[in-house]
Amino acid sequence: NNKLQLEINDRHDIVIRANRGLRFLGAVIYPWGRRLNRRNHLRLAKQINLGNLSSYSGLIKQYEPEKLVEVNYMALQLLSDL
């Protein structure tokens, strides 16, 4: 008998189109790729400093490599303020 005895949660049993994206762990996953959600973008822009620059640039590189130029620009602004 290979039954798992799982139950479907009534609050989370919706079906959506894949091209609308699935929100998961701070990212939105699409069939063609993934992106950070808006909240994480705003947090990045607000909290970036020289201490966490490598962490945020790694996050952007993982999810949205095309936006890495923006993070590098923020890094140059931070360095010019020193």
Side-chain angles (χ1 to χ4, degrees):
N1 193 358
N2 290 333
K3 293 191 176 188
L4 295 177
Q5 298 177 357
L6 300 176
E7 296 179 12
I8 295 176
N9 187 336
D10 292 335
R11 289 182 19 212
H12 301 290
D13 65 346
I14 61 170
V15 177
I16 61 169
R17 293 179 163 274
N19 62 1
R20 289 186 60 199
L22 173 69
R23 292 172 24 184
F24 183 70
L25 295 177
V28 183
I29 302 169
Y30 297 100
W32 56 85
R34 58 190 174 203
R35 294 186 171 207
L36 284 177
N37 62 15
R38 184 174 184 271
R39 177 181 175 202
N40 284 340
H41 272 290
L42 294 175
R43 187 178 70 177
L44 181 145
K46 186 177 180 181
Q47 295 184 353
I48 195 165
N49 59 40
L50 291 178
N52 61 17
L53 178 62
S54 62
S55 177
Y56 278 127
S57 65
L59 185 69
I60 291 293
K61 192 184 299 184
Q62 180 75 25
Y63 286 98
E64 296 181 280
E66 69 275 2
K67 298 226 176 179
L68 195 56
V69 174
E70 293 177 23
V71 174
N72 290 339
Y73 180 72
M74 287 182 203
L76 286 175
Q77 285 181 332
L78 288 171
L79 289 172
S80 67
D81 290 343
L82 292 179

